[in-house]
């Protein structure tokens, strides 16, 4: 795939609000209307900030639906490292996955999470595929795949500077022993949970995975 940028963001499990049991079982068919709603909301977020909107591509939709079916059947969300390789021609890839009760709740949760919002608003992305599947218990599972395709390569410019005077000799390096004590970490304060709504998200960012190995940076 040439010099491609491929980024597994840190696997972020984000729980917004409280718990809602995610059932297992065979997932129902993809919901095209819900998928269109996700795309409309994403493009509204982008256009309102002066970013180009994303065009839907069928191969990205197919890959997204396939992964959402797998998640719904297990009642869990995760990133499959093989999914990016089921589509071709991208130079940058990003992915959001989530589970929750409906489109509005999930989109709001994505936008409230920096990692997921960064994918939605990443300037270089120009194509998208969204796959929505409703689990056997009514829980919605969604996969959002973002890619950059067909962008012209950025020009590389080399500049040569002529020197007419000799540069002064560098000052000698002075080595000073220093001991710095790291500050004590601030105490962690647990935020209270409510019992109204659960949305779990996992984000895949745009600049953190080695395309040759699929290894996530920092993992």
């Amino acid at each position: 795939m040439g010099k491609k940028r491929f980024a597994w963001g840190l696997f972020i499990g984000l729980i917004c609000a409280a718990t809602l049991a995610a059932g297992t079982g065979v997932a129902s068919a993809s919901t095209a209307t819900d998928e269109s709603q996700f795309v409309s909301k994403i493009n509204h977020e982008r256009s309102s900030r002066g970013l180009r909107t994303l065009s839907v591509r069928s191969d990205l939709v197919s890959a997204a639906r396939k992964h959402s079916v797998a998640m719904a059947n297990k009642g869990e969300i995760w990133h499959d490292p093989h999914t990016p390789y089921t589509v071709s021609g991208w130079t940058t890839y990003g992915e959001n996955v989530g589970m929750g009760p409906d489109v509005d709740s999930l989109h709001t949760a994505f936008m409230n999470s920096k990692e997921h919002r960064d994918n939605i608003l990443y300037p270089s992305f120009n194509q998208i595929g969204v796959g929505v599947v409703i689990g056997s218990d009514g829980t919605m599972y969604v996969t959002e795949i973002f890619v950059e395709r067909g962008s012209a390569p950025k020009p590389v410019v080399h500049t040569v500077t002529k020197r007419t005077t000799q540069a002064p000799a560098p000052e000698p390096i002075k080595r000073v022993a220093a001991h710095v004590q790291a500050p004590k970490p601030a105490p962690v304060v647990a935020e209270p949970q409510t019992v109204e709504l659960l949305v779990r998200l996992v984000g895949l960012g745009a600049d953190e995975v080695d395309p040759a190995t699929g290894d996530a940076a920092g993992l």
Side-chain angles (χ1 to χ4, degrees):
M1 297 174 69
K3 292 184 178 179
K4 313 259 184 182
R5 291 168 55 205
F6 179 88
W8 286 110
L10 298 178
F11 286 89
I12 303 158
L14 177 64
I15 299 180
C16 302
T19 59
L20 172 71
T24 59
V26 178
S28 67
S30 300
T31 308
T33 300
D34 294 327
E35 293 169 355
S36 297
Q37 289 182 22
F38 274 111
V39 174
S40 295
K41 288 178 179 294
I42 288 168
N43 278 334
H44 175 73
E45 301 288 359
R46 293 177 66 90
S47 62
S48 66
R49 293 166 173 81
L51 300 172
R52 62 180 170 182
T53 57
L54 308 178
S55 59
V56 177
R57 289 294 181 266
S58 59
D59 61 331
L60 303 181
V61 174
S62 296
R65 286 176 176 174
K66 180 178 179 181
H67 186 57
S68 291
V69 168
M71 293 191 300
N73 286 338
K74 286 192 175 183
E76 301 174 3
I77 57 173
W78 71 91
H79 284 299
D80 184 344
H82 300 292
T83 301
Y85 298 107
T86 63
V87 296
S88 61
W90 52 262
T91 54
T92 310
Y93 180 101
E95 182 180 300
N96 289 343
V97 300
M99 58 184 288
D102 52 45
V103 174
D104 288 340
S105 300
L106 280 162
H107 179 72
T108 299
F110 282 141
M111 290 302 295
N112 287 338
S113 164
K114 181 182 183 304
E115 292 79 8
H116 304 87
R117 184 173 64 251
D118 286 349
N119 275 344
I120 291 172
L121 301 179
Y122 195 74
S124 296
F125 289 143
N126 58 1
Q127 296 180 9
I128 188 173
V130 177
V132 172
V133 173
I134 308 302
S136 58
D137 65 344
T139 300
M140 176 178 288
Y141 294 81
V142 59
T143 302
E144 299 174 344
I145 295 177
F146 308 86
V147 302
E148 176 186 2
R149 279 173 171 161
S151 298
K154 297 180 180 179
V156 178
V157 178
H158 297 280
T159 302
V160 177
T161 302
K162 295 182 179 179
R163 296 186 179 274
T164 58
T165 58
Q166 184 177 358
E171 293 290 332
I173 298 175
K174 296 180 181 180
R175 300 186 181 277
V176 179
H179 301 280
V180 179
Q181 183 174 359
K184 295 182 179 180
V188 177
V189 179
E191 296 185 2
Q193 291 185 330
T194 65
V195 287
E196 297 178 357
L197 169 68
L198 163 79
V199 176
R200 290 185 196 155
L201 308 175
V202 180
L204 167 61
D207 295 310
E208 301 165 337
V209 169
D210 183 348
T213 64
D215 293 336
L219 296 183

